[in-house]
Amino acid sequence: MATMADFRYDKATWCPGCGDFSVLAALQQVCVRMGLEPEDVCCVSGIGCSGKISQHFGSYGFHSLHGRSLPTAQGIKMANQDLTVIAAGGDGDGYGIGVGHFVHACRRNVDITYIVMDNHIYGLTTGQSSPTSKKGFKTKTSPQGVAEEPIKPLELAIVSGASFVAQAFSGDLKQLQRLIEEGMKHKGFSLINVFSPCVTFNRVNTYEWFKENIVNFDEEEGYDPTNKAMALQRIAETDSVCTGILYQEQRPAFHEVVLGATEQGTVKVPLEIPNDEMQALIDQFRRA
């Protein structure tokens, strides 16, 4: 049975205090708790500080292009449905460059888990405003303050058809682990947006700021995560500064409904073609 050590690979190079350390530790712990082996899991990442997670996590890994972790992860899952597939990235990677892929992944409902380390800034390139930076936030690229309204990833995911939407905080490791585990157990596309503070370039959205402002829906009496209207209303009322399982519905995953899909992943399908079928193909080609 695998241990935490089996899911460690490379020494993490994030800044001391970076919230991404907690995400990596939580993911490793959950895989051990679920009885997974490193060869059972594939971690696909995009570009940015968060993108390094596929290098630090001891499983199959794929460091994809900027904003392209989701199409890569969906392709891997469709090719080998036996793998537990994790896509990971940051708010710039996923909600900026990759936002088109994000919307379609939500409605498609491929059985993967998408973890977004949301620090409201581009950290790797030393502190530019990102799609989730609040209006008025001052950065190198917005010295007078961000002029645009921020992307609302939770609401965007829900209205786009995501069947599991949760939000966690790197400063609450226990809840973070539980939400990642629930997302991985969910059949279909699951989003875990994680407030993961950048201690170097974002001096506004700090650990202390989140601790003072977060509303935990898991502790809210009467909150029903299967009620879409309630989810959208309560998320808006907290200005998206909330944690917990925010929305969940049960519906078939993509591989269960797509035409032409097989119960067996394409990587498991025998490559040999019977001679009579091969000859029929050759004859058909010659007639064309």
Side-chain angles (χ1 to χ4, degrees), residues 14-253:
W14 295 308
C15 300
C18 175
D20 295 356
F21 282 104
S22 293
V23 176
L24 175 62
L27 183 59
Q28 292 167 328
Q29 184 62 53
V30 168
C31 286
V32 172
R33 208 153 62 193
M34 292 176 67
L36 296 170
E37 299 292 333
E39 62 268 27
D40 298 331
V41 184
C42 182
C43 181
V44 182
S45 65
I47 300 298
C49 294
S50 58
K52 296 179 181 178
I53 196 168
S54 62
Q55 303 170 26
H56 304 325
F57 184 66
S59 72
Y60 289 120
F62 195 115
H63 199 163
S64 66
L65 298 176
H66 215 339
R68 304 294 183 261
S69 64
L70 282 176
T72 308
Q74 291 170 90
I76 291 171
K77 183 66 180 183
M78 292 301 290
N80 188 353
Q81 293 154 19
D82 293 337
L83 277 177
T84 295
V85 179
I86 307 294
D91 42 302
D93 181 68
Y95 305 142
I97 299 91
V99 71
H101 296 302
F102 175 63
V103 169
H104 293 291
C106 290
R107 73 187 182 92
R108 191 171 292 130
N109 205 35
V110 175
D111 188 18
I112 64 172
T113 297
Y114 186 33
I115 301 174
V116 180
M117 287 154 268
D118 185 356
N119 57 17
H120 298 64
I121 204 163
Y122 283 93
L124 187 66
T125 47
T126 71
Q128 297 83 22
S129 59
S130 85
T132 58
S133 297
K134 295 297 182 185
K135 191 174 183 179
F137 184 51
K138 294 182 179 179
T139 69
K140 290 179 178 178
T141 49
S142 57
Q144 305 303 317
V146 173
E148 305 107 316
E149 295 292 336
I151 287 278
K152 303 280 189 179
L154 306 176
E155 293 97 319
L156 183 60
I158 293 172
V159 300
S160 298
S163 55
F164 184 100
V165 179
Q167 187 158 260
F169 170 46
S170 284
D172 186 346
L173 186 59
K174 188 176 179 181
Q175 187 190 38
L176 175 61
Q177 290 174 347
R178 188 176 65 78
L179 294 179
I180 290 176
E181 183 171 353
E182 291 296 326
M184 290 171 64
K185 289 178 177 175
H186 175 78
K187 187 177 70 174
F189 180 78
S190 55
L191 167 70
I192 319 291
N193 193 69
V194 184
F195 291 136
S196 183
C198 174
V199 296
T200 304
F201 296 107
N202 189 338
R203 304 302 174 88
V204 175
N205 306 112
T206 62
Y207 285 95
E208 291 71 24
W209 186 89
F210 283 114
K211 287 176 182 175
E212 291 173 3
N213 291 280
I214 279 177
V215 178
N216 186 351
F217 285 4
D218 286 345
E219 298 175 348
E220 188 168 290
E221 189 175 352
Y223 184 76
D224 179 7
T226 66
N227 186 326
K228 185 177 289 187
M230 177 183 286
L232 291 170
Q233 180 180 340
R234 289 292 294 125
I235 291 168
E237 288 171 352
T238 65
D239 196 22
S240 303
V241 187
C242 51
T243 57
I245 297 176
L246 309 176
Y247 180 69
Q248 185 171 17
E249 68 170 304
Q250 303 297 335
R251 76 170 199 266

